[in-house]
Amino acid sequence: MHHSPRPAGHRTVRRAGTAAVGVLALAGPLLVAGPAAAAPAPAPSPLGTTRPATVAAAEAEFTARTPERYRDQQLAWAPCSREQVGLLASLTSGLVCARVAVPRDWNDPEAGEPLQVTISREPRQGPRPERTVVTNPGGPGGAGLSLAALGSAVPGLADTEVIGLDVRGTGASSAMTCGSSFVGETPPDTRDRSPEALAQAAKIIERAAQACAQDPLAPVVDTQQTVFDIDLVRDALDRETIDWVGYSGGTWLGAQFATHLPGRVGRFVLDSSVDATAGYQEVFSYQPMAFQRRFDVDFAPWAAAGNATFGLGATGAEVGATYERLRAGLAARPLPLLPGLVVDGNLLDALATQSMYGKASFPQLAWILSGLQVVEAWRGTSGAQPPAALSGRLGDLVRQLAPAADRPSAVESMAATFAATTCNDSPWTTDQAFWDAYGNEQGERYPLVGYTKSSQVCAYWERDGLVLPTVDGADLPPLLIVQSRRDPATAYEGAQKTHRAMGSSVLVTVEDEGDHGLYGSGNPCVDDVVGRFLTEGTAPDGDVTCEGVGLPPVAGSPAESVVAQVLRAARSGAAS
């Protein structure tokens, strides 16, 4: 049974946060099964209490909230640079970018120097489209400028102005950082539950938190500030309402925008939705179960069906046992593959977790595990390092799942914004013993992700008492929630709660599917339902079911030919 406990009694310790702790950004924070005493709720922010339901009311509220110098900004569009969108997108997408000045703090909008929010779109000839859809990739804190290219790539958006956006704190907008002083620290293995290892892990996350607290933007990077930034972007684009396509953490942001400003809501799509009815501590509590379910129900049986190719086991249970054996070996003896790349138990868990987001990564993970089995045999027989050809190919596959950042500064700011937003938005338990116990309990049940949950940057974060309004469907037009049954990052069970709370929503369930991020990923049913909604404004009369598109074939996977040749040669060497 899945429990959804809430934050325990909240004590203020230090302002903290990190985006540089990779497992935090990858799998999200969690809490102990079994509710603890809830923290007393602070008074709601005045910014979250108006909720104008009509365009006229929203315009009056916007005028009262926004200093005159920020209204009716003239956008200066220019080709997006490599620094803004990365090398590949700058060369191939043809996107243009502009900057919107926003108040540093919407609670005191006249104070301080303005921040900058960068937006993007595809250049277009002829009349401007009638509608504008703002996109968000999630995170929270993901850099989103490249999403403007969806306009020419995704059904339903060809005749719409599609806007990409780097939210405050991230990427090409006014960016925050948690510094780099703690990046070189190697955390202990997450499966090591000794008091010494837990204390070391807690010290690392606390130092990361202290580094993040030094950034002056840390107090003003949160969802409510971003909601009003987006409303100011809407004004700069000269639209009365906006449409929305938000993925993952972008569903939280979209739900909060709709709740704060229902009069500004056009056609909203929440793809791979979080439980928007809860605080972030509870939002992330689904993930140990959901990632393990994805591995056990989808990946492991798929790999077992390809046992003749991968050699990982003839049943899902055998594949799982192989994974755990390989992981234990790497924890005891990490494997150098390429300069600067050493695979240990923690990295293997991170690679497996990353692969669960999309089934297209299943072959890469299976080949990595297959290669690690050869390495295991090689080390066992000779005690030597494996052949360079095998190490190199395994390193290439690992890099494909965890590529080097095209823009390291954007990755750093995204991680910092992730921490600031999740910690500022809602209360968190700040007792490290609570989190150590939770990691033990969840790890025993869901080992892929559960043990990582003892390290929580929000346990060391000094927040200002923001209370976001409760999400509901009052005064909203129809909106779509699109969700796969076995989504690992935003579990179906949480999306159901959002659907029930937002009474105007229609739930599009994708059966026999676990991919995270569905619209535009190649499911014809999803693309048709969402595309017609965005172009025509036509929502289905009731909830809709689409079928998944199936798992990838084992034979003929892109990695197969080169890897198979290397593995055959290496297996022969290991057996001789």
Side-chain angles (χ1 to χ4, degrees):
M1 179 179 178
H2 173 70
H3 299 271
S4 299
R6 301 184 183 276
H10 174 119
R11 63 181 177 87
T12 296
V13 186
R14 297 177 176 85
R15 184 174 302 284
T18 180
V21 180
V23 174
L24 174 71
L26 178 66
L30 306 162
L31 49 154
V32 173
S45 165
L47 283 173
T49 56
T50 306
R51 301 188 64 183
T54 65
V55 169
E59 189 62 30
E61 192 267 352
F62 172 80
T63 301
R65 175 191 353 117
T66 308
E68 185 174 0
R69 62 182 169 133
Y70 291 106
R71 298 179 222 151
D72 301 317
Q73 295 181 45
Q74 300 301 304
L75 299 176
W77 295 100
C80 298
S81 67
R82 175 180 179 176
E83 290 71 27
Q84 290 174 317
V85 297
L87 176 60
L88 181 62
S90 67
L91 294 175
T92 62
S93 67
L95 298 178
V96 293
C97 286
R99 308 193 84 184
V100 179
V102 301
R104 181 184 183 278
D105 184 354
W106 281 100
N107 290 290
D108 189 4
E110 294 282 10
E113 291 297 315
L115 304 182
Q116 300 291 326
V117 169
T118 301
I119 62 176
S120 62
R121 69 181 183 186
E122 291 183 312
R124 180 184 291 270
Q125 301 297 322
R128 187 185 183 193
E130 294 183 0
R131 306 190 69 86
T132 293
V133 56
V134 178
T135 59
N136 184 269
L145 293 178
S146 62
L147 277 183
L150 289 175
S152 58
V154 176
L157 296 181
D159 296 322
T160 303
E161 180 181 57
V162 180
I163 299 295
L165 175 82
D166 280 2
V167 299
R168 65 165 59 206
T170 286
S173 296
S174 296
M176 68 173 292
T177 177
C178 291
S180 57
S181 60
F182 57 87
V183 173
E185 297 190 67
T186 301
D189 189 87
T190 57
R191 311 279 181 106
D192 183 349
R193 310 307 291 177
S194 66
E196 296 79 10
L198 292 175
Q200 181 187 358
K203 284 296 183 184
I204 290 173
I205 200 73
E206 183 176 8
R207 283 193 288 269
Q210 291 168 344
C212 200
Q214 303 306 308
D215 193 291
L217 292 186
V220 294
V221 172
D222 61 50
T223 292
Q224 189 170 78
Q225 299 279 350
T226 300
V227 162
F228 293 118
D229 288 349
I230 293 171
D231 195 38
L232 189 54
V233 168
R234 172 207 56 76
D235 178 70
L237 293 168
D238 195 24
R239 297 296 199 191
E240 291 186 341
T241 64
I242 58 170
D243 300 342
W244 180 265
V245 175
Y247 298 91
S248 191
T251 65
W252 171 279
L253 179 55
Q256 281 294 329
F257 184 97
T259 300
H260 277 81
L261 302 170
R264 297 299 191 189
V265 172
R267 302 164 187 172
F268 269 44
V269 178
L270 310 182
D271 188 321
S272 305
S273 181
V274 301
D275 177 359
T277 70
Y280 264 119
Q281 178 167 312
E282 187 172 356
V283 164
F284 289 120
S285 70
Y286 298 91
Q287 286 190 337
M289 174 277 296
F291 273 102
Q292 196 70 47
R293 176 171 63 190
R294 174 70 154 160
F295 185 96
D296 292 344
V297 177
D298 286 341
F299 173 76
W302 173 86
N307 189 40
T309 299
F310 303 123
L312 300 176
T315 66
E318 289 180 4
V319 172
T322 298
Y323 179 87
E324 291 298 323
R325 187 190 75 243
L326 293 172
R327 194 210 180 280
L330 291 170
R333 188 182 176 190
L335 173 65
L337 290 178
L338 296 173
L341 177 61
V342 178
V343 180
D344 60 8
N346 288 345
L347 179 56
L348 185 62
D349 280 345
L351 293 171
T353 302
Q354 183 65 33
S355 301
M356 296 304 102
Y357 280 84
K359 55 185 172 288
S361 296
F362 283 9
Q364 289 169 282
L365 177 61
W367 283 118
I368 289 171
L369 297 176
S370 186
L372 290 174
Q373 281 207 119
V374 177
V375 171
E376 181 185 58
W378 195 280
R379 284 173 153 185
T381 56
S382 67
Q385 290 298 326
L390 177 58
S391 294
R393 186 54 185 156
L394 279 176
D396 290 342
L397 288 173
V398 169
R399 289 292 192 210
Q400 290 174 28
L401 285 178
D406 182 23
R407 293 181 297 150
S409 61
V411 174
E412 184 179 322
S413 64
M414 171 184 166
T417 302
F418 175 94
T421 304
T422 54
C423 297
N424 282 332
D425 273 8
S426 54
W428 284 77
T429 298
T430 57
D431 179 7
Q432 186 60 49
F434 178 94
W435 294 110
D436 289 344
Y438 184 59
N440 290 338
E441 188 267 342
Q442 289 290 286
E444 290 174 3
R445 299 171 65 189
Y446 314 115
L448 183 62
V449 168
Y451 287 109
T452 69
K453 298 304 108 188
S454 293
S455 294
Q456 298 293 345
V457 72
C458 294
Y460 300 94
W461 190 275
E462 182 182 334
R463 62 189 302 273
D464 294 330
L466 169 66
V467 177
L468 295 172
T470 301
V471 167
D472 62 41
D475 303 313
L476 289 178
L479 56 87
L480 298 187
I481 298 174
V482 184
Q483 201 78 14
S484 67
R485 276 283 184 184
R486 292 190 292 277
D487 189 315
T490 54
Y492 186 78
E493 292 84 347
Q496 287 179 304
K497 289 188 175 181
T498 302
H499 175 43
R500 288 193 291 268
M502 304 190 81
S504 67
S505 65
V506 173
L507 179 61
V508 181
T509 298
V510 185
E511 297 286 2
D512 197 24
E513 181 61 83
D515 279 9
H516 181 73
L518 296 162
Y519 178 49
S521 67
N523 186 301
C525 176
V526 170
D527 288 350
D528 178 65
V529 172
V530 176
R532 283 192 290 114
F533 175 67
L534 289 173
T535 56
E536 303 170 12
T538 303
D541 291 334
D543 292 347
V544 173
T545 297
C546 291
E547 292 299 322
V549 297
L551 297 175
V554 172
S557 60
E560 179 178 0
S561 58
V562 175
V563 175
Q565 293 172 16
V566 173
L567 288 182
R568 279 195 294 270
R571 284 168 180 155
S572 299
S576 61

